[in-house]
């Protein structure tokens, strides 16, 4: 989703058969901040993707307001705690973002404006991939196909069968969600999902491994805040009308850029939502410089953090057929 229209949408933030069984094992029904002070910090964080064992995560950081210096970070989890993030071995020179680890754990795909034969201008993104192990120093490989013919694909995710889902804007700046099948090593013939219309701008899709549903972001559908998360379920090849994930996940703030944990138990998303009730009253007494600094350096500073919630909160919205 990282093209010029982001400047006008500043607040638009953002194996298969066992998926549902695994999801039922989780009990977190309310969103929780991920790695407060380590993953979720005073910086601008977005995207979050993990390995199946949740021992390794990748996410993005950038400078606002113009999305400069976008880079992909990684963090390892040890003894249940996320460690200080570092630059991913394949990132740090170009504008890289939107990491996603494939369901079979073999591939990490992401967007980058590094030089590509598909670029029409230098700022265009292409889709790139690295193979596991992801912390090994390696050169990313370009994803090939005719999906670049009239589109700049963004926010990639892969189903277990290799189908690629992404969002892209057309010449009218309308953003829609597409999928493309892998054919002879290339992704060709991108098709819009059936619920897309020119009335709504939908972006940042994350697909379930078995393609049973897709979660995405929109600011133009009737929602609770600046942007909300929605889900559409796959009914024998037809996608249902999108459903707002509701005020248990969405808020008066902005939610977006979803992800699904490698074990299928959690939904991740980005949001600048606050964790405390707004308080404008005077303090009972003056505070010290160190306490003021701690307040100002809180992760709850108006920039997005990474949140997680049980995938059950998505699955329970599935309409009865």
């Amino acid at each position: 989703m990282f093209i010029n229209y982001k400047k006008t949408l500043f607040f638009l933030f953002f194996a298969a058969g066992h998926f549902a069984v695994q999801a039922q094992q989780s009990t977190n029904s309310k969103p929780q901040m991920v790695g407060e002070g380590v993953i979720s910090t005073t910086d601008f964080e977005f995207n979050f993707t993990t390995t199946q064992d949740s021992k390794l995560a990748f996410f993005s950081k950038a400078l606002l307001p113009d999305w400069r210096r976008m880079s992909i970070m990684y963090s390892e989890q040890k003894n249940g705690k996320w460690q200080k993030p570092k630059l991913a071995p394949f990132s740090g020179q170009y504008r890289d973002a939107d990491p996603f680890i494939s369901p079979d754990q073999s591939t990490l795909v992401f967007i980058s404006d590094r030089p590509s034969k598909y670029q029409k201008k230098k700022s265009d993104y292409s889709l790139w991939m690295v193979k596991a192990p992801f912390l090994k120093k390696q050169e990313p490989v370009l994803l090939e196909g005719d999906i670049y013919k009239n589109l700049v694909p963004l926010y990639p995710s892969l189903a277990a069968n290799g189908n690629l889902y992404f969002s892209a804007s057309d010449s009218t700046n309308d953003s829609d969600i597409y999928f493309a099948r892998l054919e002879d090593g290339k992704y060709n013939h991108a098709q819009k999902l059936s619920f897309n219309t020119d009335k709504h701008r939908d972006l940042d899709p994350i697909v379930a491994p078995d393609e049973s549903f897709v979660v995405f972001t929109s600011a133009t559908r009737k929602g609770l805040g600046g942007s909300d998360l929605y889900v559409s379920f796959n009914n024998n090849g037809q996608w249902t009308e999108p459903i707002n994930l509701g005020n248990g996940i969405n808020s008066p703030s902005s939610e977006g850029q979803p992800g699904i944990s490698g074990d299928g138990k959690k939904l991740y998303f980005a949001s600048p939502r606050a964790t405390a009730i707004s308080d404008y009253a005077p303090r009972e007494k003056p505070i010290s410089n160190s306490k003021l600094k701690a307040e100002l350096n809180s992760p709850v500073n108006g920039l997005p953090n990474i949140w997680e919630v049980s995938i059950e909160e998505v699955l329970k919205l599935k309409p009865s057929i």
Side-chain angles (χ1 to χ4, degrees):
M1 74 183 266
F2 299 95
I3 50 180
N4 289 337
Y5 67 73
K6 270 196 164 181
K7 295 181 180 179
T8 64
L9 290 176
F10 181 85
F11 292 104
L12 183 55
F13 297 120
F14 17 121
H18 300 289
F19 185 80
V21 175
Q22 291 174 332
Q24 293 171 3
Q25 299 172 357
S26 180
T27 58
N28 290 334
S29 60
K30 294 183 179 180
Q32 304 292 321
M33 189 182 292
V34 176
E36 184 171 355
V38 180
I39 301 295
S40 298
T41 68
T42 57
D43 299 338
F44 171 29
E45 301 100 7
F46 51 102
N47 312 125
F48 201 72
T49 186
T50 67
T51 52
Q52 194 169 41
D53 61 5
S54 296
K55 298 296 185 182
L56 177 63
F58 292 85
F59 61 102
S60 306
K61 287 195 179 193
L63 295 177
L64 291 175
D66 53 359
W67 304 81
R68 292 177 294 122
R69 304 306 188 193
M70 287 196 307
S71 300
I72 296 175
M73 312 294 294
Y74 77 90
S75 176
E76 296 178 277
Q77 189 168 199
K78 299 179 180 180
N79 299 320
K81 294 184 179 181
W82 291 109
Q83 305 301 298
K84 183 177 179 180
K86 300 177 182 179
L87 266 171
F90 51 86
S91 189
Q93 180 176 1
Y94 302 98
R95 299 178 76 221
D96 307 322
D98 299 355
F100 174 84
I101 298 175
S102 63
D104 67 2
Q105 307 293 288
S106 69
T107 306
L108 185 150
V109 295
F110 64 100
I111 68 167
S112 179
D113 68 353
R114 62 192 64 206
S116 160
K117 65 182 181 181
Y118 296 114
Q119 288 176 314
K120 298 177 179 63
K121 54 182 183 296
K122 289 184 177 180
S123 59
D124 284 347
Y125 297 96
S126 302
L127 303 184
W128 298 79
M129 68 176 180
V130 292
K131 291 292 187 179
F134 307 126
L135 298 185
K136 177 183 177 181
K137 188 69 175 180
Q138 58 184 299
E139 286 297 320
V141 176
L142 180 66
L143 267 67
E144 304 274 1
D146 66 12
I147 55 174
Y148 304 96
K149 186 175 181 180
N150 298 308
L151 302 170
V152 178
L154 306 169
Y155 215 89
S157 67
L158 295 168
N161 60 10
N163 285 350
L164 171 70
Y165 287 71
F166 61 92
S167 57
S169 294
D170 60 20
S171 58
T172 66
N173 205 32
D174 174 39
S175 179
D176 291 306
I177 296 173
Y178 297 79
F179 86 98
R181 294 185 175 89
L182 186 63
E183 302 171 345
D184 297 324
K186 297 183 179 182
Y187 284 102
N188 296 321
H189 310 300
Q191 304 174 51
K192 290 184 184 181
L193 299 196
S194 57
F195 60 77
N196 284 127
T197 72
D198 56 9
K199 295 180 180 180
H200 300 293
R201 302 189 74 253
D202 301 329
L203 57 160
D204 294 0
I206 191 80
V207 67
D210 59 0
E211 296 180 288
S212 59
F213 66 86
V214 62
V215 177
F216 65 94
T217 307
S218 182
T220 59
R221 296 176 182 271
K222 187 177 181 180
L224 304 176
S227 65
D228 278 5
L229 294 172
Y230 295 80
V231 61
S232 175
F233 293 93
N234 189 344
N235 182 16
N236 296 319
Q238 293 296 314
W239 294 93
T240 64
E241 186 65 21
I243 303 168
N244 189 291
L245 293 193
N247 58 18
I249 295 177
N250 291 316
S251 76
S253 187
S254 294
E255 284 71 41
Q257 299 177 316
I260 298 174
S261 60
D263 61 7
K265 296 180 181 180
K266 298 175 183 178
L267 173 73
Y268 297 114
F269 61 94
S271 176
R273 68 206 293 154
T275 57
I277 298 174
S278 297
D279 183 5
Y280 298 98
R283 301 181 180 91
E284 293 184 1
K285 59 181 180 180
I287 62 171
S288 64
N289 286 323
S290 61
K291 288 186 177 180
L292 175 60
K293 185 176 181 180
E295 284 186 359
L296 298 177
N297 288 336
S298 166
V300 189
N301 63 352
L303 294 178
N305 294 305
I306 306 298
W307 296 78
E308 66 181 23
V309 70
S310 170
I311 201 69
E312 291 176 23
E313 298 303 303
V314 175
L315 299 180
K316 72 182 184 181
L317 298 175
K318 184 175 181 178
S320 298
I321 304 298

